[in-house]
Amino acid sequence: PELRVLVVDPFNRSSGHNLAMRAFVNANGGANCVTSMNVLNVISDVKSRLRHVMLMHRILKPGGLAIFKVWAGLWPERGTREQIINAFQIESGEEIPGGECCQNNA
């Protein structure tokens, strides 16, 4: 199977590039895998962090994989997977399929 790595970055890519990548993902019904590298640790408020997590969830195809890397130095609670899953479910009102598998691995 073909593997494509697409980058969307509002600070280092043009808006035209970002729109083209979004259109490609939407045309293909979402992404099999999404990554968020050192984004959550620079978002200051919890509601905006949750919006970012929810955006990643919305982009994923069913059964897809989301990978979040957070630099622990600025996040004392360190945002364990259990905390993120619980916060997402409270904010969105929906269950994360398979979310229970992560709760003991935080």
Side-chain angles (χ1 to χ4, degrees):
E2 183 179 327
L3 172 66
R4 289 191 139 192
V5 177
L6 307 177
V7 176
V8 176
D9 183 336
F11 300 105
N12 295 305
R13 304 289 176 155
S14 70
S15 60
H17 168 86
N18 290 333
L19 287 172
M21 297 303 100
R22 287 175 56 188
F24 179 85
V25 170
N26 288 337
N28 287 282
N32 293 316
C33 180
V34 297
T35 62
S36 173
M37 299 296 154
N38 296 319
V39 173
L40 292 172
N41 55 277
V42 297
I43 300 174
S44 60
D45 64 289
V46 173
K47 190 167 188 165
S48 294
R49 287 183 202 145
L50 288 174
R51 281 200 330 249
H52 179 71
V53 172
M54 291 167 67
L55 172 66
M56 298 293 103
H57 181 258
R58 202 168 43 248
I59 293 169
L60 278 175
K61 290 181 180 180
L65 174 66
I67 301 170
F68 293 86
K69 178 180 181 253
V70 179
W71 184 59
L74 293 179
W75 218 12
E77 348 28 86
R78 296 205 174 176
T80 65
R81 283 174 276 201
E82 182 176 359
Q83 289 170 324
I84 292 170
I85 288 168
N86 289 339
F88 176 85
Q89 291 176 166
I90 289 167
E91 181 72 19
S92 69
E94 62 180 278
E95 292 286 321
I96 298 178
E100 66 280 354
C101 73
C102 299
Q103 293 183 7
N104 294 329
N105 297 328

